[in-house]
């Protein structure tokens, strides 16, 4: 083992041996001056790409006025961002926090209190196989990946797990578990391998939740905020959730989380039930407001749909028929290529060749570029990625 490059930082990540120094648009440069095309966007975070001039100017303005003030006061920028989210989702109220897991913690608290308010003393929440909801004790308990949970037992109780897109399994839960109060899933599973919930499944789950009085809680931390070509991925199915956690892309790189709720859930949390010191601070709120404003000005929903379609078609054309390519899936600029074997080495090989991407669920190449990605960026992604995938498939399967 070589000596660690950051000896005083806890070794919680497997990191590549270079550091990024700056970026512009869909490009980033490392401290040696090497250029990369960014098809990862810090894991679906840098919605507007790097150093977007409009965002930079707005954040500089905000930093010079007020970064943080606490929640003892009115924060008009919170109302501003809440309004933008409510208008685009059709929901009614937002709570602001700082990360994806915090948004999900708020959702879980809402579900439990929603149950308690109806006299259900030990409420249960339906969660999914291969789900990822974060790494706090409650959200890792909701997560459907033993690797994330191992070593952190005892897990939080009160979860019932079902497979994705299996309506019969959920109907069986409805018959057998009277304390269920909510169904909690990612509209498109991200860390689990870019696994979309089918539209007909989402519609059926919506109906079942209505029939049973359950909350439908859709974790759109990764797939929300325009990534699929609609503001929120569930809008492709023509449904609305009751509770929707958001984070990653919402601040275009500034940490911010939100849980957006409809009428069934919006008034469950009352004064004293929940809070956060940093949540909803003016800098994060400004980042959210400007991200949405700039996305609209620059037509980035349409761009995500169009460029995502080109990228998916290109991947299908170049890789689709190859033995060893199991599936190419996803929507807009949230795409996965599943191979029949582990391919974690592609992360480093692609970076070496000038392309940033990730591999998730061991076998799935994940592309979640900034929503400003261009046709030329798609061509370059394919030019670098396709030979690397072919090379990975030429080696004997492990
Ligand atoms: C990344 C992610 C989370 C956790 O977000 P953090 O900001 O890392 O806490 C939760 N849910 C989904 C779907 C995610 O992709």
């Amino acid at each position: 083992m070589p000596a660690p490059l950051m000896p005083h930082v806890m070794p919680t990540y497997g990191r590549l041996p270079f550091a990024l120094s700056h970026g512009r648009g869909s490009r980033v440069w490392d401290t040696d001056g090497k250029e990369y095309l960014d098809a990862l966007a810090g894991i679906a975070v840098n919605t507007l790409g790097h150093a977007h001039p409009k965002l930079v100017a707005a954040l500089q303005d905000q930093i010079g006025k007020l970064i943080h003030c606490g929640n003892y006061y009115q924060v008009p920028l919170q109302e501003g961002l809440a309004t933008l989210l409510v208008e685009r989702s059709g929901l009614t109220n937002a709570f602001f926090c700082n990360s994806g897991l915090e948004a999900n913690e708020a959702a879980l608290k809402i579900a439990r209190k929603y149950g308690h308010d109806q006299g259900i003393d030990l409420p249960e929440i339906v969660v999914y196989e291969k789900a990822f909801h974060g790494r706090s004790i409650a959200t890792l308990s909701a997560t459907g990946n033993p690797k994330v949970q191992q070593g952190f037992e005892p897990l939080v109780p009160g979860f019932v797990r079902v497979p994705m897109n299996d309506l019969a399994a959920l109907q069986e839960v409805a018959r057998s578990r009277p304390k269920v109060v909510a169904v909690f899933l990612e509209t498109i599973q991200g860390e689990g391998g870019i696994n979309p919930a089918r539209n007909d499944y989402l519609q059926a789950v919506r109906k079942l939740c209505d029939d049973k009085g359950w909350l439908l809680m859709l974790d759109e931390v990764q797939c929300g905020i325009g990534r699929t070509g609609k503001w929120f991925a569930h809008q492709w199915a023509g449904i609305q959730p009751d509770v929707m956690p958001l984070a990653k892309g919402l601040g275009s790189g500034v940490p911010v989380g939100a849980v957006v709720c409809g009428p069934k859930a919006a008034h469950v949390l009352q004064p004293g039930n929940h809070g956060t010191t940093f949540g909803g601070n003016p800098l994060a709120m400004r980042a959210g407001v400007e991200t949405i404003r700039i996305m609209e000005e620059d037509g980035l929903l349409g761009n995500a749909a169009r460029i995502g379609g080109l990228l998916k078609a290109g991947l299908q054309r170049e890789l689709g028929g190859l033995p060893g390519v199991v599936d190419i899936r996803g929507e807009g600029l949230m795409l996965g290529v599943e191979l029949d074997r582990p391919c974690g080495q592609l992360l480093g090989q692609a970076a070496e060749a000038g392309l940033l991407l990730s591999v998730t669920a061991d076998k799935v190449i994940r592309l979640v570029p900034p929503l400003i990605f261009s046709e030329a960026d798609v061509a370059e992604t394919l030019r670098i990625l396709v030979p690397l995938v072919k090379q990975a498939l030429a080696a004997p399967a492990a």
Side-chain angles (χ1 to χ4, degrees), residues 7 9 23-24 66 69 113 117 128 153 160 218 225 229 235 267-268 276 278 302 318-319:
V9 174
R24 188 91 193 164
L66 192 64
C69 60
K113 184 151 183 302
D117 289 349
Y128 283 70
E153 299 87 351
V160 185
L218 294 178
I225 308 296
Q235 290 171 332
H267 300 287
V268 170
T276 148
F278 292 127
E318 303 279 343
L319 298 173

Side-chain angles (χ1 to χ4, degrees), residues 29-50:
W29 287 266
D30 72 16
T31 48
D32 293 329
K34 180 177 159 79
E35 181 178 331
Y36 303 83
L37 174 62
D38 188 1
L40 184 58
I43 318 183
V45 168
N46 299 102
T47 304
L48 304 176
H50 300 278

Side-chain angles (χ1 to χ4, degrees), residues 9-361:
V9 174
M10 273 196 213
T12 51
Y13 307 98
R15 299 176 192 264
L16 294 174
F18 61 86
L20 299 173
S21 80
H22 63 286
R24 188 91 193 164
S26 58
R27 310 272 146 179
V28 279
W29 287 266
D30 72 16
T31 48
D32 293 329
K34 180 177 159 79
E35 181 178 331
Y36 303 83
L37 174 62
D38 188 1
L40 184 58
I43 318 183
V45 168
N46 299 102
T47 304
L48 304 176
H50 300 278
H52 193 296
K54 292 179 195 169
L55 182 68
V56 169
L59 293 181
Q60 282 171 338
D61 170 68
Q62 188 59 47
I63 285 171
K65 285 179 179 159
L66 192 64
I67 295 174
H68 175 87
C69 60
N71 285 304
Y72 283 119
Y73 317 103
Q74 304 292 311
V75 183
L77 279 164
Q78 281 185 26
E79 181 62 17
L81 183 55
T83 304
L84 292 174
L85 292 171
V86 158
E87 286 169 356
R88 280 151 192 77
S89 64
L91 302 177
T92 62
N93 296 81
F95 171 85
F96 293 107
C97 52
N98 311 285
S99 67
L101 81 79
E102 280 180 62
N104 286 334
E105 283 278 345
L108 295 172
K109 285 182 70 174
I110 288 168
R112 282 191 168 188
K113 184 151 183 302
Y114 175 80
H116 281 275
D117 289 349
Q118 298 169 56
I120 300 173
D121 55 344
L122 295 170
E124 294 184 321
I125 298 167
V126 178
V127 291
Y128 283 70
E129 291 173 5
K130 298 189 188 169
F132 182 82
H133 297 298
R135 291 175 177 275
S136 68
I137 296 290
T139 58
L140 75 80
S141 300
T143 288
N145 179 350
K147 277 195 217 159
V148 173
Q149 298 172 334
Q150 216 163 35
F152 303 105
E153 299 87 351
L155 301 182
V156 170
F159 295 111
V160 185
R161 200 170 299 281
V162 298
M164 181 68 119
N165 289 324
D166 181 343
L167 189 60
L170 189 61
Q171 285 166 334
E172 178 51 35
V173 167
R175 269 190 295 275
S176 59
R177 316 281 302 213
K179 291 176 187 271
V180 166
V181 293
V183 179
F184 184 35
L185 73 155
E186 297 153 85
T187 314
I188 302 176
Q189 290 182 336
E191 306 306 299
I194 317 293
N195 308 313
R198 288 195 322 267
N199 287 345
D200 64 306
Y201 180 75
L202 287 171
Q203 290 155 2
V205 175
R206 175 69 273 178
K207 183 163 186 315
L208 189 61
C209 286
D210 290 340
D211 293 346
K212 302 291 293 183
W214 297 346
L215 296 178
L216 175 55
M217 311 205 298
L218 294 178
D219 179 348
E220 294 230 2
V221 166
Q222 189 161 157
C223 61
I225 308 296
R227 180 151 293 283
T228 66
K230 291 197 185 279
W231 281 110
F232 307 107
H234 64 262
Q235 290 171 332
W236 289 103
I239 59 151
Q240 277 183 358
D242 301 300
V243 178
M244 175 171 63
L246 298 171
K248 290 193 166 80
L250 178 56
S252 219
V254 176
V256 52
V259 56
V260 190
C261 293
K264 260 162 90 178
H267 300 287
V268 170
L269 296 179
Q270 290 293 313
N273 287 148
H274 197 51
T276 148
T277 301
F278 292 127
N281 69 76
L283 177 63
M285 296 299 96
R286 185 76 184 267
V289 165
E290 298 292 343
T291 295
I292 290 174
R293 189 179 65 78
I294 297 165
M295 284 176 72
E296 248 152 29
E297 269 180 25
D298 294 4
L300 295 187
L301 287 193
N303 194 66
R306 190 175 68 86
I307 297 297
L310 288 175
L311 182 53
K312 192 177 186 184
L315 291 166
Q316 275 161 342
R317 186 179 65 240
E318 303 279 343
L319 298 173
L322 296 184
V325 176
V326 174
D327 195 16
I328 296 166
R329 57 181 177 254
E331 190 68 50
L333 286 172
M334 182 172 183
L335 297 175
V337 179
E338 180 176 351
L339 304 187
D340 65 353
R341 65 200 76 188
C343 57
Q345 79 281 3
L346 284 172
L347 185 90
Q349 290 173 350
E352 182 76 17
L355 177 67
L356 302 184
L357 49 69
S358 86
V359 172
T360 190

